[in-house]
Amino acid sequence: MVLLRRWPLPVLAAAVAVCGLVMASGAEPLPLAVLVGVACYLVASRVPRRVSIAAVAAAAAALGAALGYVALARTGAPVAVEAVEGFLPLAAAWFVGDAVAARRRYLAGLAEHAERERAAEVEHARREVREERVRIARELHDVVAHALAVITVQAGVGRRLMAGRPEEGSGALESIEAIGRTAQEELRVVLGLLREEGIAAEELTPTPRLADLTELAATVRASGTPVELRMPDTDRRLSPALELTVYRVVQEALTNVVKHAPGARATVDVAVLGKDVRIEVTDDGHPAGRADGPGVMPGHGIVGMRERIGAFGGSLAAGPCPAGGFRVLAEVPAQGAHDDQRACRR
């Protein structure tokens, strides 16, 4: 049996040769025909179909030659009976073996398909994890960078005022406390996304909206940076995801003003114009080190703003103004934004 499984083609050839000799000698060929059938089954089930077809055709030709010799050499020999006994096991065994091989190929295809699906699911899960990490990192950057920039400026102002004007210095400390508490709450929300425990699902969603830009501008003004906020015609309903994006872009732009151009005057224009939301933040400070043109590496802030706007199919440009200062200009489609759940997740 080991020989049959390891070398089915040589065993089939030997069995056919012996069976043909038995037929030619006039002996009963049925026992050897059964052996031929077993060898043919193993050939059909273990070798490629093209090879098995050629092998069974050669075996049938050899048995046919033996039957032809019997018909010519022995008058009255039961050629028809011997033909049935010789060819029937051969044909039946090949069809059964070929069906078994086809089933094996089918099961192997199913297993390969399932393996590809599992690999695709694993890759999809990894991609979602990477996207979630990028989103959380972006939120942490926006919260921490803005809070620390304003707190640093306020702390410097308070330190200078404490000796001569303690009341104004106390106001700076109160502003630091308020900003710190706000940042602490936002960090609790963002870090809750990582823990996913003890916080309701609705609390995990960042909440800043367009209406909160007024408070943001007031916070930046309190740090010593004059901010003029213009928001005409912003009563139109936008998606929470888009409003969060607009808020974060303005927040990052103002944070850059506080960090890189202390004392500069900033202007924020947010308007819904037709099917687009236009965001423009400019300042009149010195642009050194803040351009993202050739030869200057942009920071994560500008990259993050571009990613946020790009998630909605918009565009963002940031660079120094010809007359001095710095400008951030973004345009993002507002049509259908309230249904864009993918952008919300990002």
Side-chain angles (χ1 to χ4, degrees):
M1 205 59 178
V2 175
L3 292 176
L4 287 173
R5 291 178 177 174
R6 288 188 178 180
W7 299 291
L9 287 173
V11 170
L12 176 62
V16 169
V18 173
C19 185
L21 292 175
V22 170
M23 285 182 179
S25 66
E28 177 64 37
L30 185 59
L32 286 173
V34 173
L35 178 61
V36 170
V38 173
C40 183
Y41 166 80
L42 291 173
V43 168
S45 62
R46 292 180 178 274
V47 302
R49 192 175 193 185
R50 177 173 53 84
V51 178
S52 71
I53 291 175
V56 76
L63 293 178
L67 286 173
Y69 174 80
V70 170
L72 294 175
R74 291 191 293 122
T75 306
V79 177
V81 175
E82 291 185 3
V84 172
E85 291 178 351
F87 285 107
L88 183 60
L90 182 70
W94 184 86
F95 280 110
V96 173
D98 185 67
V100 170
R103 178 170 178 79
R104 285 176 181 167
R105 290 192 295 270
Y106 173 72
L107 293 177
L110 287 180
E112 183 179 356
H113 179 69
E115 183 63 28
R116 286 198 301 267
E117 283 191 342
R118 282 195 294 271
E121 289 176 357
V122 170
E123 180 60 27
H124 179 69
R126 288 176 180 172
R127 187 166 56 252
E128 285 191 339
V129 169
R130 287 195 297 268
E131 290 176 355
E132 187 68 10
R133 286 175 177 173
V134 170
R135 188 175 75 86
I136 293 173
R138 187 183 299 137
E139 293 295 328
L140 285 173
H141 172 272
D142 291 342
V143 172
V144 175
H146 174 73
L148 289 181
V150 177
I151 286 174
T152 301
V153 172
Q154 287 286 71
V157 172
R159 179 177 56 82
R160 289 192 296 270
L161 294 177
M162 284 303 293
R165 290 178 285 177
E167 292 183 358
E168 295 183 16
S170 176
L173 293 178
E174 290 177 0
S175 177
I176 291 174
E177 180 182 7
I179 295 169
R181 290 184 185 279
T182 302
Q184 183 182 20
E185 182 62 23
E186 291 195 34
L187 283 176
R188 184 186 72 86
V189 170
V190 175
L191 294 177
L193 291 169
L194 297 175
R195 293 192 299 266
E196 292 186 354
E197 58 183 20
I199 301 179
E202 60 272 11
E203 291 184 71
L204 295 178
T205 305
T207 55
R209 307 291 294 269
L210 286 182
D212 297 314
L213 288 177
T214 303
E215 182 179 351
L216 174 65
T219 302
V220 176
R221 287 192 200 101
S223 70
T225 298
V227 178
E228 181 182 358
L229 178 62
R230 305 168 185 166
M231 289 196 304
D233 303 326
T234 53
D235 294 335
R236 177 176 170 183
R237 180 177 176 80
L238 302 176
S239 74
L242 181 55
E243 293 198 14
L244 172 63
T245 293
V246 173
Y247 180 92
R248 291 303 190 197
V249 168
V250 173
Q251 182 185 49
E252 178 62 29
L254 291 178
T255 299
N256 288 339
V257 175
V258 172
K259 289 194 298 184
H260 301 292
R265 299 181 61 85
T267 303
V268 178
D269 284 293
V270 179
V272 180
L273 305 174
K275 296 182 179 180
D276 295 327
V277 178
R278 187 176 184 275
I279 309 154
E280 183 177 13
V281 181
T282 58
D283 67 76
D284 57 5
H286 194 276
R290 298 172 58 199
D292 61 342
V296 181
M297 293 297 293
H300 293 293
I302 292 177
V303 173
M305 287 190 289
R306 282 205 178 98
E307 289 178 350
R308 287 184 180 276
I309 295 298
F312 288 89
S315 61
L316 182 140
C321 300
F326 200 80
R327 180 195 191 200
V328 174
L329 177 63
E331 291 186 359
V332 57
Q335 239 353 32
H338 52 281
D339 296 324
D340 194 341
Q341 294 299 322
R342 179 180 64 83
C344 182
R345 288 188 52 162
R346 294 184 58 162

